[in-house]
Amino acid sequence: MTKHYDATYFERWYRDPALKAQAIGGRARLSRKVALAVATAEYHLERPLRSVLDIGCGEGAWRAPLLKLRPKAQYLGFDSSEYAIGRFGARRNLHHARFGDFQHLRPCPPADLLICSDVLHYLETRELDRGLAALAELCGGVAFLETFTREDGIDGDTHGFRRRPARFYRQRFEAVGLTPLGSHLWLAPALREGAATLEIPDRL
């Protein structure tokens, strides 16, 4: 059955009180993720955050908590959901694109913070590989790539979830030049030389 990111999907997985324990978009949880990503990017950039690129942004849930922390930051989002872009695109600076479109799409200079949250483990391998290089090329600071693997206990939306091993993602992220920082955070290629040895977790 084809998966549809329509109004029903977002209402269920982001706002349904009955699914609070599994919901993707709980405000407190999201706020903590945003604070972590912003602080890590600013730590490595050694300046305030200026630009954010959100690939697979959905309704743009990251935008409000980001701008609450950094009101002057520029936020730009892309998603494949016609519903999300049609309803929120103009107000939240969201645009239509599939992940694979980033094989050629370069909509902005490298962003201080690149977000690709809860996206990659739902993509077919062919589409993932087409757009993957963009994650490094469009990241000038830190990337938050929240991705789950077959080694993880998965709650919530398992429809279309690709049960890949963790090494599948590690190898691909590192192959395009991203460096792991832990907690779903990856350092941009341009900043790798400036990182101290113990800021980079050892590979298991």
Side-chain angles (χ1 to χ4, degrees):
M1 184 171 60
T2 303
K3 189 170 185 177
H4 297 288
Y5 293 97
D6 54 14
T8 301
Y9 174 88
F10 286 97
E11 192 64 32
R12 180 183 183 191
W13 292 112
Y14 285 75
R15 288 181 287 277
D16 188 344
L19 296 174
K20 186 175 181 181
Q22 299 176 342
I24 297 166
R27 288 185 181 180
R29 180 187 297 177
L30 178 59
S31 294
R32 289 191 291 270
K33 291 179 187 179
V34 171
L36 172 67
V38 169
T40 305
E42 292 184 343
Y43 171 80
H44 286 279
L45 289 165
E46 297 187 346
R47 60 168 172 77
L49 192 74
R50 296 171 186 161
S51 58
V52 180
L53 174 61
D54 193 348
I55 297 176
C57 63
E59 296 177 334
W62 277 65
R63 181 179 179 273
L66 274 164
L67 296 182
K68 184 177 181 180
L69 287 177
R70 297 293 179 268
K72 295 182 180 180
Q74 296 182 337
Y75 175 89
L76 174 63
F78 288 86
D79 199 85
S80 63
S81 169
E82 294 183 2
Y83 152 76
I85 303 309
R87 181 171 179 183
F88 298 107
R91 283 183 286 155
R92 299 180 181 176
N93 199 22
L94 314 181
H95 304 270
H96 189 271
R98 295 178 58 85
F99 186 84
D101 295 338
F102 284 88
Q103 179 178 10
H104 305 294
L105 185 62
R106 297 294 183 271
C108 61
D112 293 341
L113 173 61
L114 183 143
I115 304 157
C116 189
S117 180
D118 200 29
V119 172
L120 300 176
H121 43 258
Y122 294 116
L123 298 177
E124 293 183 1
T125 300
R126 183 179 298 178
E127 181 173 10
L128 188 152
D129 286 343
R130 281 205 305 268
L132 196 61
L135 297 183
E137 293 178 18
L138 289 169
C139 179
V142 164
F144 182 82
L145 309 179
E146 187 176 33
T147 308
F148 298 101
T149 73
R150 72 184 183 198
E151 291 91 350
D152 300 313
I154 303 299
D155 291 325
D157 180 18
T158 58
H159 182 198
F161 179 77
R162 312 284 172 170
R163 299 188 180 277
R164 302 175 176 122
R167 67 177 180 275
F168 172 94
Y169 296 103
R170 286 198 189 102
Q171 290 171 352
R172 279 166 165 76
F173 294 167
E174 292 177 2
V176 297
L178 296 168
T179 300
L181 294 171
S183 299
H184 297 297
L185 293 159
W186 295 77
L187 190 64
L191 297 183
R192 176 61 180 89
E193 270 190 39
T197 301
L198 290 180
E199 289 177 319
I200 310 302
D202 287 336
R203 292 189 62 182
L204 299 177

